[in-house]
Amino acid sequence: MSAILQEIRQLEAARDRGDISPEDFTKAKNRLLSTVEDATVLPQANRQPPPRATVRQSGTPASTAWGMLLLALCAAAVMTVLVGQLVGDMTIAFTLVVTVFAAIVIAAFRRLEG
Protein backbone atom coordinates (compact mmCIF):
# COMPACT_ATOMS: atom_id res chain seq x y z
CA MET A 1 0.00 0.00 0.00
CA SER A 2 2.84 2.40 0.78
CA ALA A 3 4.30 1.76 -2.69
CA ILE A 4 1.00 2.74 -4.29
CA LEU A 5 0.80 5.88 -2.16
CA GLN A 6 4.36 6.77 -3.18
CA GLU A 7 3.44 6.37 -6.85
CA ILE A 8 0.37 8.58 -6.35
CA ARG A 9 2.58 11.24 -4.76
CA GLN A 10 4.94 11.04 -7.75
CA LEU A 11 1.98 11.40 -10.10
CA GLU A 12 0.75 14.44 -8.14
CA ALA A 13 4.21 15.99 -8.32
CA ALA A 14 4.37 15.36 -12.09
CA ARG A 15 0.93 16.92 -12.51
CA ASP A 16 1.94 19.96 -10.44
CA ARG A 17 5.10 20.40 -12.56
CA GLY A 18 3.01 20.14 -15.71
CA ASP A 19 4.66 16.94 -16.96
CA ILE A 20 1.29 15.19 -17.31
CA SER A 21 -2.18 16.51 -17.95
CA PRO A 22 -4.94 16.35 -15.32
CA GLU A 23 -6.77 13.76 -17.45
CA ASP A 24 -3.68 11.54 -17.63
CA PHE A 25 -3.21 11.97 -13.88
CA THR A 26 -6.79 10.84 -13.20
CA LYS A 27 -6.42 7.80 -15.49
CA ALA A 28 -3.10 6.77 -13.92
CA LYS A 29 -4.41 7.26 -10.39
CA ASN A 30 -7.57 5.24 -11.11
CA ARG A 31 -5.44 2.48 -12.66
CA LEU A 32 -3.27 2.35 -9.51
CA LEU A 33 -6.25 2.35 -7.17
CA SER A 34 -7.98 -0.38 -9.16
CA THR A 35 -5.15 -2.74 -8.21
CA VAL A 36 -6.17 -2.42 -4.57
CA GLU A 37 -9.39 -4.15 -3.56
CA ASP A 38 -12.04 -2.04 -1.81
CA ALA A 39 -9.99 1.15 -1.94
CA THR A 40 -11.94 4.25 -1.02
CA VAL A 41 -10.46 7.66 -1.69
CA LEU A 42 -12.16 10.66 -0.17
CA PRO A 43 -11.61 14.17 -1.46
CA GLN A 44 -9.36 16.27 0.75
CA ALA A 45 -12.19 18.68 1.60
CA ASN A 46 -14.43 15.90 2.95
CA ARG A 47 -11.86 14.28 5.22
CA GLN A 48 -12.79 14.79 8.82
CA PRO A 49 -11.42 13.17 11.94
CA PRO A 50 -13.72 10.55 13.44
CA PRO A 51 -16.04 11.90 16.12
CA ARG A 52 -14.69 11.56 19.62
CA ALA A 53 -16.78 9.78 22.19
CA THR A 54 -17.64 11.98 25.12
CA VAL A 55 -17.51 10.51 28.56
CA ARG A 56 -19.80 11.97 31.12
CA GLN A 57 -18.30 11.74 34.56
CA SER A 58 -20.38 12.15 37.65
CA GLY A 59 -17.40 12.83 39.88
CA THR A 60 -13.74 12.27 40.40
CA PRO A 61 -12.35 8.73 40.66
CA ALA A 62 -11.69 9.31 44.37
CA SER A 63 -15.31 10.18 45.08
CA THR A 64 -16.46 7.17 43.06
CA ALA A 65 -14.11 4.90 45.03
CA TRP A 66 -15.39 6.24 48.34
CA GLY A 67 -18.97 5.71 47.19
CA MET A 68 -18.24 2.13 46.21
CA LEU A 69 -16.51 1.53 49.55
CA LEU A 70 -19.50 2.93 51.44
CA LEU A 71 -21.85 0.76 49.40
CA ALA A 72 -19.74 -2.35 50.07
CA LEU A 73 -19.67 -1.64 53.81
CA CYS A 74 -23.44 -1.20 53.91
CA ALA A 75 -23.92 -4.44 51.99
CA ALA A 76 -21.54 -6.24 54.37
CA ALA A 77 -23.42 -4.92 57.40
CA VAL A 78 -26.80 -6.00 56.00
CA MET A 79 -25.45 -9.42 55.05
CA THR A 80 -23.86 -9.84 58.50
CA VAL A 81 -27.17 -9.10 60.22
CA LEU A 82 -29.11 -11.42 57.92
CA VAL A 83 -26.64 -14.30 58.24
CA GLY A 84 -26.42 -13.64 61.99
CA GLN A 85 -30.19 -14.04 62.28
CA LEU A 86 -30.06 -17.21 60.19
CA VAL A 87 -27.11 -18.83 62.00
CA GLY A 88 -27.70 -17.39 65.45
CA ASP A 89 -24.10 -16.25 66.03
CA MET A 90 -22.84 -12.84 64.89
CA THR A 91 -19.17 -13.86 65.03
CA ILE A 92 -19.67 -16.74 62.61
CA ALA A 93 -21.89 -14.53 60.44
CA PHE A 94 -19.22 -11.82 60.29
CA THR A 95 -16.55 -14.39 59.39
CA LEU A 96 -18.70 -15.81 56.59
CA VAL A 97 -19.54 -12.37 55.15
CA VAL A 98 -15.88 -11.23 55.24
CA THR A 99 -14.85 -14.45 53.50
CA VAL A 100 -17.44 -13.99 50.76
CA PHE A 101 -16.51 -10.34 50.18
CA ALA A 102 -12.80 -11.24 50.10
CA ALA A 103 -13.54 -13.86 47.44
CA ILE A 104 -15.45 -11.26 45.41
CA VAL A 105 -12.55 -8.78 45.64
CA ILE A 106 -9.99 -11.42 44.63
CA ALA A 107 -12.12 -12.49 41.67
CA ALA A 108 -12.46 -8.86 40.59
CA PHE A 109 -8.70 -8.28 40.71
CA ARG A 110 -8.03 -11.48 38.76
CA ARG A 111 -10.49 -10.36 36.13
CA LEU A 112 -8.74 -6.99 35.87
CA GLU A 113 -5.37 -8.71 35.37
CA GLY A 114 -6.44 -10.98 32.55
Side-chain angles (χ1 to χ4, degrees), residues 22-71:
E23 294 82 21
D24 291 336
F25 168 76
T26 304
K27 289 178 187 176
K29 184 177 176 182
N30 287 337
R31 187 177 59 244
L32 279 173
L33 292 177
S34 68
T35 62
V36 179
E37 294 181 15
D38 298 324
T40 303
V41 178
L42 298 175
Q44 289 291 75
N46 291 340
R47 290 190 182 184
Q48 297 176 355
R52 299 180 80 188
T54 57
V55 177
R56 189 173 163 191
Q57 295 180 349
S58 60
T60 63
S63 66
T64 304
W66 284 111
M68 291 297 290
L69 181 64
L70 181 64
L71 184 64

Side-chain angles (χ1 to χ4, degrees), residues 82-105:
L82 289 176
V83 173
Q85 292 295 319
L86 183 68
V87 174
D89 186 9
M90 291 299 281
T91 306
I92 294 174
F94 181 73
T95 304
L96 288 172
V97 169
V98 168
T99 304
V100 168
F101 274 93
I104 291 170
V105 169

